[in-house]
Amino acid sequence: MAAPAPLIDTDEDPSFADLLAQRPHLAVHAHDGLTMEDVPLARIAREVGTPAWVYSAGTLRRRFRALRAALEEARLPCDIHFAVKANPNLAVLRTLAAEGAGADIVSEGELRLALAAGIDPAHVVFSGVGKTMDELRFAIGRGVGQINAESAEEVAMISAAATALGRTVDVALRVNPDVDARTHAKITTGRSENKFGVAIADASALYARMSATPGLRPVGVAVHIGSQITAGMAAYATAYRHLADLVRELRAAGLPVERVDCGGGLGIPYRHEPAPSPAALAGAIRTTLGNLGVRLMMEPGRWICGPAGVLLASVVIEKRTATRRFVILDAAMNDLVRPAMYEAWHGIVPVAPAAFAAATSPCDVVGPVCETGDTFARNRGLPDLEPGSLVAFLDAGAYGAAMSSTYNARPLAAEVLVDGARFAVVRARQTQEALLAGQRLPDWMG
Ligand SMILES: *Cc1c(COP(=O)(O)O)cnc(C)c1O
C-alpha cells in the first residue's frame, strides 16, 4: 500500500494568500495594499521610514487572552509572566501588562523596563544563569516576586545579596530535566550539557539546603526546556513529569513546595510547521502537574508576540547576475538576525496591492551588510520589485528588534504600535548622532 500523501508539501513555500490567511491582523486591500489592523503599512513607511518594526496591539491582546483562556479551560490557576527578552518594547509591555501579564526578566535593564511598563514587581520573576551581585541587589531591593536560582553558587549569591539588604526573597530552583525539546541547537536549554538549571539528581539536596539558607525562602521549582518548540508535547510532558516527581520527593522530605514555573518555549508556525496549541500545552500541564495543588506559572515570549509584528523594509535595488536574482533591501541582519543565526524562515510579502496578483520568480532576498550571512531568504518567489517597493517580514515580533545591533554602523530601526486605526512610533529610529555619541578619542590623539 502506498504511503498516504502528506497533507502539506513541505518543500513548497506557502503562498502570500496562505500566509495572510493565518494572520488575522494582516489583510490586502485593493487600494491600500497590505494593512495591519486598520492601518496601511505603506502609510507607516511613508511617515516613519524603513526599516521599521510594526506591532499589532490587537494581536498581542488576542494571543495573551487565548493563552489565558486555554489555561482557565483546563482549570489551571496560572500566572502568565511575559518573557521580556522576546520583545522589550515599553508599549508592548504596557499592552500586555494591561491584560494582566507579569514579567519574566533576565537583567536589570529588563526589570527597569517591566517596572516602567507598570508591572507590579511582585509579578516579576528573575531568571538567567549569570545574574550579577549588582543585579541581584537591585532586584531584591525593588521587591521582585521570585528569583529562579540556576546553581548552588547562585543560591549563595542570592543569600548574600538578600541578607545585606535585610530582606528575604522567594526563590524557585530551576532544574535541568535533561530532555530534548527537538528545536534548533542554539535554543534548546533542557539538555544536561546545556548551561541552564540544576540536575534533577542534585535538586532535592540543594532545595533542602536552601530552606536553611538565610535571606531566602524556597517556594518551588522551575523548568524551561527551550524555545520555538513545535515537535509536539512529548518533551514538555516528560519534563513536567520529572518536575512532578521532584515535587513529591521534596514534600515527602517535609519541604514545602508552593509554586511550579512551567517555563516558555511554545513555538509558532513561521512557514508551515505544526502549530502546538495552548490547549495542548495546558493539557500536558494538567495531566502532569494538575493535581499537585501548586500555584502554576508560565513564561511565554515568542508565542504571544512573534506573530504580532512585522519588519517593514524597502527595496534598494534588484541586482541580476548570470545565475541569480538578488532583491537587496534596506533592512539587514543587524535588524533581523534570526535567518543568519538560526537559519530561520520568515514569510516575506509585498505591500503594494498590485504586487499580490503579479507573477513571481525566485530570488535571494538580502541586506546590504558585508557578509554572505546577510541573506534573509534563498529562492523565494517574489514579484518584480522596483526600487522603493515595500516588503513585510512576517512574525518578526519576537527576537526581532530585541536582537538587533548596529553592525555596519547602521542605526537601530524605529518601532511602531498599531491599535485599530491608530498608530504611533513607540521607539524613535536611532539617529546617526546617537549612534556615534558614546565614542571618544583618547586625549593622546589630540
Ligand atoms: C527565553 C526564555 C523564555 C521565553 O521563551 P519563548 O520561547 O520566547 O517562549 C522563558 N523562560 C526563560 C527562562 C527563558 O530563558
Side-chain angles (χ1 to χ4, degrees):
M1 203 174 83
L7 290 175
I8 301 165
D9 176 3
T10 47
D11 291 322
E12 186 108 351
D13 284 337
S15 68
F16 300 148
D18 288 344
L19 288 168
L20 297 182
Q22 310 288 330
R23 291 157 179 84
H25 52 293
L26 299 173
V28 185
H29 287 269
H31 178 256
D32 289 329
L34 190 63
T35 57
M36 179 183 280
E37 302 195 22
D38 300 323
V39 181
L41 289 171
R43 186 173 152 215
I44 293 176
R46 216 163 39 238
E47 294 184 22
V48 178
T50 58
W53 307 91
V54 189
Y55 310 122
S56 156
T59 299
L60 291 168
R61 291 188 198 104
R62 187 167 44 77
R63 295 184 73 84
F64 184 85
R65 288 173 193 170
L67 185 56
R68 194 177 46 198
L71 292 161
E72 278 169 6
E73 199 124 310
R75 300 198 186 296
L76 295 170
C78 186
D79 298 330
I80 303 175
H81 296 99
F82 176 68
V84 172
K85 74 171 193 269
N87 190 323
N89 183 278
L90 203 53
V92 168
L93 297 180
R94 177 69 70 102
T95 302
L96 294 171
E99 294 294 311
D104 182 77
I105 57 123
V106 294
S107 68
E108 176 179 333
E110 288 190 354
L111 176 52
R112 289 178 181 274
L113 280 162
L115 298 177
I119 294 174
D120 179 349
H123 294 150
V124 173
V125 175
F126 193 0
S127 298
V129 283
K131 310 172 195 78
T132 67
M133 223 31 203
D134 282 346
E135 287 179 314
L136 287 169
R137 274 192 289 261
F138 181 78
I140 294 166
R142 293 299 168 99
V144 293
Q146 178 175 307
I147 298 179
N148 287 357
E150 301 226 9
S151 62
E153 294 84 347
E154 192 178 60
V155 168
M157 284 175 73
I158 296 167
S159 172
T163 50
L165 292 165
R167 305 283 274 265
T168 298
V169 62
D170 289 351
V171 177
L173 187 60
R174 175 169 176 184
V175 298
N176 184 322
D178 194 20
V179 299
D180 185 354
R182 297 207 286 134
T183 181
H184 193 283
K186 286 180 183 164
I187 49 175
T188 192
T189 57
R191 304 294 308 277
S192 58
E193 69 262 32
N194 299 143
K195 67 184 173 183
F196 300 97
V198 174
I200 286 260
D202 303 331
S204 58
L206 180 55
Y207 198 90
R209 239 188 307 139
M210 282 162 64
S211 56
T213 303
L216 58 87
R217 193 173 76 92
V219 293
V221 289
V223 284
H224 172 70
I225 58 173
S227 194
Q228 183 53 11
I229 298 170
T230 56
M233 288 299 125
Y236 274 119
T238 305
Y240 293 156
R241 225 173 286 126
H242 289 320
L243 213 51
D245 290 343
L246 176 62
V247 170
R248 284 186 276 267
E249 184 186 332
L250 293 171
R251 284 177 170 170
L255 300 163
V257 181
E258 299 161 27
R259 306 179 201 164
V260 172
D261 186 339
C262 300
L266 199 58
I268 58 171
Y270 286 94
R271 193 166 176 237
H272 38 38
E273 301 90 331
S277 67
L281 181 57
I285 295 173
R286 168 89 245 160
T287 52
T288 52
L289 300 164
N291 294 321
L292 293 173
V294 290
R295 194 173 120 212
L296 294 165
M297 306 162 89
M298 192 181 274
E299 309 162 348
R302 184 191 317 268
W303 194 86
I304 290 176
C305 63
V310 302
L311 171 62
L312 200 53
S314 299
V315 174
V316 176
I317 201 167
E318 272 207 28
K319 168 176 172 175
R320 289 177 197 258
T321 68
T323 56
R324 319 280 305 167
R325 170 188 169 213
F326 293 101
V327 172
I328 304 173
L329 302 179
D330 65 354
M333 65 187 290
N334 71 295
D335 302 299
L336 179 65
V337 76
R338 298 191 66 258
M341 190 135 111
Y342 311 121
E343 292 86 39
W345 192 98
H346 280 267
I348 305 172
V349 298
V351 171
F356 283 89
T360 64
S361 66
C363 61
D364 289 1
V365 183
V366 302
V369 159
C370 306
E371 300 221 15
T372 301
D374 187 24
T375 297
F376 292 117
R378 268 180 225 294
N379 290 320
R380 190 66 67 87
L382 283 176
D384 287 350
L385 294 163
E386 295 292 314
S389 304
L390 296 168
V391 296
F393 288 81
L394 306 182
D395 309 315
Y399 307 104
M403 294 180 95
S404 57
S405 75
T406 59
Y407 186 40
N408 277 213
R410 292 168 47 83
L412 296 175
E415 292 175 78
V416 173
L417 187 75
V418 169
D419 195 354
R422 297 178 294 189
F423 75 92
V425 173
V426 290
R427 179 169 161 181
R429 184 179 309 286
Q430 189 176 34
T431 61
Q432 293 288 349
E433 292 71 29
L435 184 62
L436 298 180
Q439 301 227 30
R440 300 276 183 282
L441 288 172
D443 51 13
W444 69 80
M445 287 184 183

